[in-house]
Amino acid sequence: MGACWGKILWIDLDTSTSQVEEISSHVYRQYLGGYGLGVKILLDNQPARIDPLGPDNILAFVPGLLSGTRTFFSGRYMVVGKSPLTGGWGDANSGGSLSPEIKACGCDGIFVRGCSQKPVYIHVTETTVEIKSAEHLWGLDTFETEDKLVAELGPGIKVATIGPGGENLALIAGIFNEKGRTAARSGLGAVMGAKKLKAIAIRGKKKVPVADPALLTRANKAIALPLQFNLHQVEKVIGDAAKTWVLPPLLRRRIDFKPTVKMVVSSLKEHGTGAATAISVESGDAPVRNWKGVGMVDFPWKYSSKISDKSTEPYVTKKYRCANCPLGCGALVSVNNGKYATKETHRPEYETAAVFGSNILNDNYEAIIKANDLCNRFGLDTISTGSVIAFAMECYERGIITAEDTGGIPLVWGNADSVIKLIEDIAYRQGLGELLADGVARASKILGHGSQEYAIH
Ligand code: SF4
């Protein structure tokens, strides 16, 4: 069978040992890779009712089934485990180029159980598995950790790491690779922190087997066809199509006119997922004012358009794409001057722009870039972080959280400076950050005073 190796790697941090388990081909046929393989292995091996932050929780890094082959859009990996945030199934996924590297080590997933007594990182190649001390990395942010490991292990090493958020067991912490590609959701960064696992560092050289290379090439061509268009071509297609209405119906029928798909594809290529932030706010899809607001009323176009599509262009320094992606929706951005100055960093995704934009009534895109960058460095999920801050703002407005609780920071709608400060406090569990670090549901339970009514989770 192509695309997989038929084996997974187990690492036990209690005993500092590793072993390989053979997986039969029918498991792949039934469950594929990624989440499917992850859930099958966890179901077979993980007892019920375990503590998600205890040694029995299995944390797994599982590439999609076709990752490591040339298949387009196959460059993502999944992280799975029991979520400490919800107490249920936890999963998150991330792009970049780490996923094919796991496959190039000759395994279809890395499954970690146990808890180390001291900080460690796992170094995997196609021939070796090492559990090494991470005492020198503990306390560093995700960017610093990646830089250190690349310096230590050599260029080409791929790193997935936690930041201070995960180390401090913030239940809204994620796992980060390539300084901003993020397996953000479910609080799995806290699971890594509880295991004292600072990072995994991967470098493989094995070529993933492909059963039918010619078929794969044909499939890739078919996938790539609708991606050939850029926005200007699409605009021309629309213009030309308009003209066709004056053409005889017989001729019109010969024109293949499917602008919607092409528009979506080309917008994604040009502006990333943030292409539709303003439209989402207007249409009621994006959260506004802690989910209570109405886009057209509370955050109308004159504001939402400042954090969406074309308004983000001046900050773009470079385009970015995950491994084997023919579309490339990513970009790097920077803010050169002012109080939100930020060195080159990943462009905020739509969800990030929404939670740090419309959901807190902030129309300053530079502040959103800064908030995104800080979350990436401190290792926090931007969606959960923005959401819990919006919740705190509503509680502040209603007098449930006071200036005394915030250390004098006015937590008013649109105050981006307070957001920047709170992100750090959440990562280090200091001040109000201690309350917010475990997400909206827990914060509202502790706060009481009717705050549950404003807790959207
Ligand atoms: S670059 Fe964008 S479209 Fe391509 S795989 Fe990554 S997230 Fe998906």
Side-chain angles (χ1 to χ4, degrees), residues 226 229 231 234 237 256-267:
F229 297 84
L231 202 52
V234 170
V237 169
D256 178 23
F257 180 49
K258 299 189 184 80
T260 315
V261 174
K262 291 167 190 167
M263 274 186 81
V264 170
V265 166
S266 58
S267 302

Side-chain angles (χ1 to χ4, degrees), residues 73 76 95 181 320-322 325 327-330:
F73 295 111
R76 300 185 69 89
R181 305 321 288 174
Y320 176 91
R321 66 182 64 224
C322 303
C325 177
L327 195 154
C329 75

Side-chain angles (χ1 to χ4, degrees), residues 329-445:
C329 75
L332 301 180
V333 292
S334 67
V335 179
N336 297 328
N337 303 302
K339 61 180 173 177
Y340 302 123
T342 307
K343 285 187 189 153
E344 194 172 70
T345 190
H346 282 275
R347 176 171 61 193
E349 300 291 344
Y350 149 74
E351 295 91 337
T352 308
V355 290
F356 287 123
S358 54
N359 208 26
I360 60 164
L361 305 188
N362 163 46
D363 66 353
N364 186 326
Y365 190 65
E366 293 185 1
I368 294 172
I369 291 175
K370 188 71 181 173
N372 185 50
D373 184 65
L374 287 176
C375 285
N376 289 343
R377 286 173 188 271
F378 291 137
L380 296 173
D381 172 11
T382 55
I383 298 176
S384 292
T385 305
S387 298
V388 80
I389 290 174
F391 162 75
M393 282 182 168
E394 179 150 16
C395 289
Y396 187 85
E397 181 182 52
R398 294 173 187 276
I400 300 169
I401 289 176
T402 64
E404 203 182 320
D405 299 317
T406 65
I409 301 170
L411 208 51
V412 293
W413 297 112
N415 182 356
D417 290 353
S418 68
V419 172
I420 302 300
K421 170 79 176 81
L422 264 183
I423 290 171
E424 184 172 349
D425 288 351
I426 289 171
Y428 289 97
R429 285 187 170 280
Q430 57 199 19
L432 187 62
E434 171 63 33
L435 175 77
L436 305 181
D438 294 334
V440 171
R442 279 180 172 76
S444 69
K445 261 191 203 141

